Amino acid sequence: MKNHADLWLAYKEIKNFSDSSILKKFYISGASASDRTVANAITELKTGLKSMLGIEPDFIFEESSDPVKENSGKDILDNEEYTVSLREDGISLSSKSGAGILYAAFDVLRNVSCERDIKTTYAGGRTVRPSNPLRMLNHWDNMDGSIERGYSGESFFYVNDEIVIDERTVDYARLIASVGINGVVINNVNVKNAASYMITDRYFDKLAKLGEIFAGYGIRLYLSLNYASTIEIGGLDSADPLDEKVISWWKNKMAEVFDRIPTLGGFLVKADSEGRPGPFTYGRTQADGANMLADIVKEYGAIIIWRCFVYNCKQDWRDRKTDRARAGYDNFMPMDGDYHDNVILQIKNGPMDFQIREPISPLLGGLKKTNQMLEVQIAQEYTGHQIDVCYLIPEFKEILGFRTYVKEEKDTVADIISGETFGDRYSGIAAVTNTGNDFNWTGNYLAGANLFGFGRLAFDTSLSSEQIAEEFVKMSISADEDVVSKIVSILLPSREIYEKYTSPLGIGWMVQPGIHYGCSVDGYEYDRWGTYHRADHLGIGVDRSDKGTGYALQYNEPNASVYNDPDKCPDELVLFFHHLPYTHKLHSGKTVIQHIYDTHFEGYEEAQKLSEKWDSLKGKVDDEIFENVSERFTRQLANAREWCDQVNSYFYRKSGIPDEKGRQIY
Ligand code: GCW
């Protein structure tokens, strides 16, 4: 008995499948039979088709060619593109690489698992080219087994500072490869203690083995790097990127690392952020820091992914001009074009920190000559800790579809991170993952939709939130139409509902400090990191217009003028950009204060309805899944009730303005 669920690779038996005759033979061309990824694709097809349909297919290998050497995002896409087409007596899978054959195999298994008719699905052939070259998960796993912002148990990569490789490791590679993930950073960006020694002999053998397992599923291994390694493990007294001793230490170190871990794709670096050391410590620029490492790893075909989460976390909230939201743009725009071509800047979707709603970071659409990756979070740090249901794919669709006006066309975030807008050498998308060693991997079974969905969306940004949700439910829970439609109708509105009872109007952060779950309206308000709602007896919100911190002007036109004007700014962000009286009329026709009351009562009521809908599924879904989600709904309703009561009471007491509908506010 496994200690973990199969999730969307459960391959449940399908009784009345339309026509399985075409699935008895597979023709494989492009990648060679000796490729271990092709071998894994065949194993997967055998496992899945036997389990779902009781058939044992044959495999015929046709002409094969070698994949192109990957020196750019375009090379990756050329290799990973695949085609599935119909033959007289079988199905043809073709791709330049083993990874492409594996994705093709999972494409077939997904369609069978969703009980779609295969001949119809693949009539005329289906060629899929991934939307993004790099599709990565970032684990904030610590080597002691804990997970920073982890809500699904302990790390399955580490126990007591040792790397674990077991059946779950392989199943993890299968799960994420099945949704097209091709890169994993296995350790916390806050690299500390034993993690600083990841790049030493102590861990090389295990990392090499882990890299081989991942490579067999088309996944590159990456490591988070301690920028101050020269000091912490190198015995030097400096980490200055321009210091010759530092440079030569890194040269020797990287030669050793890439010799011992040949599959390593590169490093993720968090520097000069929240107390982490970095180039600023030595009066150098972020580009100095990134380029020094990039130049050294280039000969190994590796990349440096450099996070833009840099802000002055010692700022004084009383300084009305200091604005944490400005920091990313102010720190990184001046060096646009200074980064070498195997450096990628990894940019959080918003200027603050993964709130339930933020404007899009102005770096996306600001930077024109720098490789960029988008960083989103499926670990529900501020969005419910995988207790509250919060399906984030609709939010990611909004982010990807946002027009930056950096160019006349092909200017959306999706265009930029795909490499389409600027023809970048490297680009892509990463998610801080929500996994852990819980039996169901993600705490709440329904949070699995965020892991599944992130992968599917990263691979194909044209997919809809609804289609992704449907696939997830059919493959992981049940293909029963009534069950599918009910659970999809729980997932789709859940982000808006969470926003209703925890926001309003672009105001986040009213969370328990440090924990980031549960309501505390002023918890962060007077924290050194800046104020977040600036509520007084007359109004609420932060003035980020040209009359305030000027953040709104970091955007390209027409976005800057829209955000800068309280009468044009969209309601859902108006308090992020402006300080407005409680009586201000929104586009919706409501006043700010009535919007606060209405959304918090609605949010709680709608969360109750989701829970009731789930209750109606008792006996129709696996008991273990039913109980897991049901227990979390109980906690979510208590949470939503607290938020509703505390936020409404706070703003009623602050404003003195009664609820138009006369509801009980304490
Ligand atoms: O979201 C915040 C978290 C930190 C995290 C940091 C980051 C890994 O509270 O736990 O540290 O941002 O993104 O680096």
Side-chain angles (χ1 to χ4, degrees):
M1 178 64 181
K2 286 184 178 180
N3 66 357
H4 53 276
D6 291 321
L7 301 183
W8 51 85
L9 300 185
Y11 298 139
K12 290 189 195 68
E13 186 188 359
I14 299 171
K15 295 237 180 347
N16 49 6
F17 191 69
S18 56
D19 170 7
S20 62
S21 62
I22 197 79
L23 293 162
K24 292 195 171 73
K25 195 174 282 186
F26 284 84
Y27 296 86
I28 294 176
S29 59
S32 67
S34 60
D35 184 321
R36 61 187 155 188
T37 315
V38 175
N40 285 331
I42 289 172
T43 305
E44 203 67 35
L45 282 165
K46 284 181 176 172
T47 308
L49 293 176
K50 178 109 177 82
S51 173
M52 290 190 281
L53 302 172
I55 57 178
E56 297 181 15
D58 293 324
F59 296 88
I60 295 103
F61 282 90
E62 298 175 324
E63 81 288 337
S64 70
S65 57
D66 290 332
V68 301
K69 183 163 171 32
E70 292 178 350
N71 278 311
S72 72
K74 183 183 176 308
D75 296 337
I76 294 173
L77 297 181
D78 288 346
N79 278 335
E80 294 182 351
E81 179 178 306
Y82 65 84
T83 297
V84 181
S85 54
L86 298 175
R87 294 283 181 86
E88 269 304 297
D89 60 347
I91 290 186
S92 157
L93 308 181
S94 66
S95 174
K96 285 196 174 72
S97 71
I101 296 295
L102 184 68
Y103 297 144
F106 278 122
D107 191 302
V108 173
L109 289 165
R110 186 164 52 242
N111 283 305
V112 171
S113 189
C114 292
E115 302 189 26
R116 292 172 185 143
D117 179 76
I118 294 306
K119 284 182 182 162
T120 316
T121 301
Y122 295 113
R126 172 177 150 79
T127 295
V128 184
R129 185 178 177 81
S131 298
N132 296 296
L134 299 176
R135 308 177 301 275
M136 300 178 70
L137 291 175
N138 291 181
H139 284 260
W140 287 354
D141 292 35
N142 298 308
M143 296 199 75
D144 63 4
S146 64
I147 300 178
E148 184 158 353
R149 311 304 177 189
Y151 314 107
S152 311
E154 299 280 281
S155 173
F156 47 71
F157 283 128
Y158 315 109
V159 172
N160 298 330
D161 290 349
E162 290 306 327
I163 294 171
V164 172
I165 297 179
D166 59 16
E167 184 186 32
R168 190 192 266 259
T169 316
V170 176
D171 282 347
Y172 181 60
R174 291 177 54 233
L175 273 171
I176 61 176
S178 74
V179 291
I181 297 293
N182 66 2
V184 175
V185 184
I186 61 167
N187 59 313
N188 190 355
V189 288
N190 290 327
V191 181
K192 48 193 181 226
N193 307 331
S196 297
Y197 293 84
M198 281 282 234
I199 53 174
T200 68
D201 189 55
R202 178 170 170 189
Y203 295 109
F204 283 148
D205 291 344
K206 278 285 184 69
L207 289 170
K209 192 171 170 211
L210 193 53
E212 295 300 331
I213 291 172
F214 281 155
Y217 287 92
I219 301 162
R220 288 171 192 79
L221 172 68
Y222 296 82
L223 298 175
S224 290
L225 192 64
N226 180 342
Y227 192 79
S229 297
T230 46
I231 300 169
E232 295 212 18
I233 64 171
L236 302 188
D237 59 3
S238 170
D240 178 351
L242 303 189
D243 177 326
E244 278 311 318
K245 290 196 308 302
V246 169
I247 295 168
S248 70
W249 186 88
W250 278 116
K251 276 183 180 156
N252 293 331
K253 174 51 69 182
M254 291 305 187
E256 185 189 13
V257 167
F258 286 94
D259 173 53
R260 299 290 299 276
I261 318 171
T263 58
L264 190 68
F267 297 96
L268 175 62
V269 181
K270 170 180 180 177
D272 285 317
S273 163
E274 295 187 332
R276 308 306 303 154
F280 282 166
T281 317
Y282 301 93
R284 311 299 186 192
T285 70
Q286 298 294 306
D288 293 332
N291 291 339
M292 180 273 288
L293 292 171
D295 294 349
I296 292 170
V297 304
K298 186 159 190 169
E299 69 176 280
Y300 309 107
I303 57 175
I304 295 295
I305 304 171
W306 192 269
R307 294 179 85 226
C308 296
F309 187 59
V310 176
Y311 64 98
N312 166 14
C313 58
K314 296 184 177 55
Q315 71 191 29
D316 181 341
W317 62 270
R318 284 163 285 232
D319 170 358
R320 305 304 261 180
K321 290 305 281 179
T322 304
D323 181 2
R324 173 173 172 173
R326 292 185 57 100
Y329 189 94
D330 289 343
N331 283 317
F332 285 91
M333 267 311 288
M335 292 165 294
D336 188 22
D338 293 353
Y339 294 91
H340 294 172
D341 64 7
N342 62 327
V343 172
I344 309 171
L345 293 190
Q346 183 164 298
I347 302 161
K348 287 191 180 182
N349 58 275
M352 300 296 271
D353 197 6
F354 301 131
Q355 300 304 294
I356 187 63
R357 186 182 297 277
E358 291 187 32
I360 302 306
S361 165
L363 276 173
L364 295 162
L367 295 166
K368 297 182 179 62
K369 297 170 281 185
T370 302
N371 295 326
Q372 306 166 54
M373 280 182 71
L374 172 65
E375 180 181 323
V376 294
Q377 192 181 42
I378 55 176
Q380 291 175 236
E381 174 182 354
Y382 296 93
T383 56
H385 281 207
Q386 285 116 264
I387 297 166
D388 298 25
V389 178
C390 190
Y391 179 55
L392 294 164
I393 304 310
E395 178 198 357
F396 298 164
K397 290 288 287 183
E398 279 170 19
I399 294 164
L400 291 168
F402 179 77
R403 286 205 64 190
T404 66
Y405 298 95
V406 69
K407 285 173 82 173
E408 287 301 302
E409 54 176 15
K410 291 187 182 170
D411 68 326
T412 66
V413 170
D415 294 324
I416 291 170
I417 64 166
S418 66
E420 193 73 21
T421 308
F422 300 114
D424 295 329
R425 179 119 184 280
Y426 286 105
S427 63
I429 182 170
V432 180
T433 190
N434 59 358
T435 50
N437 70 357
D438 275 359
F439 181 80
N440 67 13
W441 301 79
T442 58
N444 186 327
Y445 268 97
L446 297 187
N450 287 328
L451 179 61
F452 176 90
F454 170 74
R456 294 287 289 126
L457 193 60
F459 200 94
D460 180 353
T461 48
S462 71
L463 291 172
S464 71
S465 303
E466 185 148 16
Q467 180 181 345
I468 290 171
E470 270 177 25
E471 281 181 2
F472 168 74
V473 177
K474 285 180 178 176
M475 296 174 79
S476 317
I477 300 177
S478 163
D480 173 282
E481 282 312 312
D482 175 51
V483 172
V484 170
S485 65
K486 273 208 175 113
I487 298 176
V488 168
S489 71
I490 287 171
L491 290 172
L492 289 181
S494 57
R495 181 260 186 141
E496 303 276 337
I497 291 170
Y498 187 84
E499 178 182 21
K500 278 185 174 179
Y501 62 77
T502 61
S503 200
L505 302 169
I507 293 287
W509 296 100
M510 298 190 286
V511 289
Q512 293 290 343
I515 303 163
H516 300 166
Y517 183 86
C519 181
S520 172
V521 178
D522 281 339
Y524 271 120
E525 186 53 21
Y526 302 103
D527 190 283
R528 67 178 183 282
W529 289 357
T531 64
Y532 296 109
H533 59 61
R534 286 199 175 141
D536 55 33
H537 64 293
L538 296 176
I540 173 178
V542 183
D543 183 352
R544 291 191 165 100
S545 72
D546 55 349
K547 300 180 192 62
T549 70
Y551 167 76
L553 305 187
Q554 289 186 340
Y555 290 89
N556 301 320
E557 289 298 355
N559 289 336
S561 299
V562 166
Y563 288 143
N564 201 51
D565 180 342
D567 295 326
K568 290 183 187 157
C569 185
D571 282 351
E572 64 270 16
L573 287 172
V574 76
L575 297 181
F576 187 91
F577 284 97
H578 301 281
H579 183 85
L580 297 172
Y582 292 115
T583 53
H584 172 83
K585 270 271 196 299
L586 299 164
H587 300 306
S588 66
K590 289 184 182 179
T591 60
V592 166
I593 189 66
Q594 192 57 42
H595 174 93
I596 290 174
Y597 296 150
D598 287 351
T599 48
H600 285 76
F601 281 118
E602 284 163 16
Y604 174 52
E605 286 151 18
E606 288 164 16
Q608 285 178 302
K609 289 198 179 69
L610 296 189
S611 180
E612 287 155 17
K613 202 172 273 189
W614 182 261
D615 290 344
S616 73
L617 294 174
K618 188 165 177 60
K620 293 186 175 175
V621 302
D622 176 285
D623 286 344
E624 205 261 332
I625 296 176
F626 180 81
E627 292 309 325
N628 166 271
V629 175
S630 185
E631 183 274 328
R632 277 169 160 74
F633 261 124
T634 304
R635 285 193 270 166
Q636 176 173 358
L637 293 187
N639 187 40
R641 178 70 204 246
E642 273 304 301
W643 276 96
C644 171
D645 289 346
Q646 289 194 30
V647 172
N648 280 346
S649 299
Y650 179 95
F651 287 103
Y652 171 58
R653 295 175 189 181
K654 206 109 192 193
S655 68
I657 299 171
D659 171 34
E660 283 170 7
K661 298 168 184 166
R663 288 164 291 197
Q664 173 73 47
I665 293 180
Y666 304 95

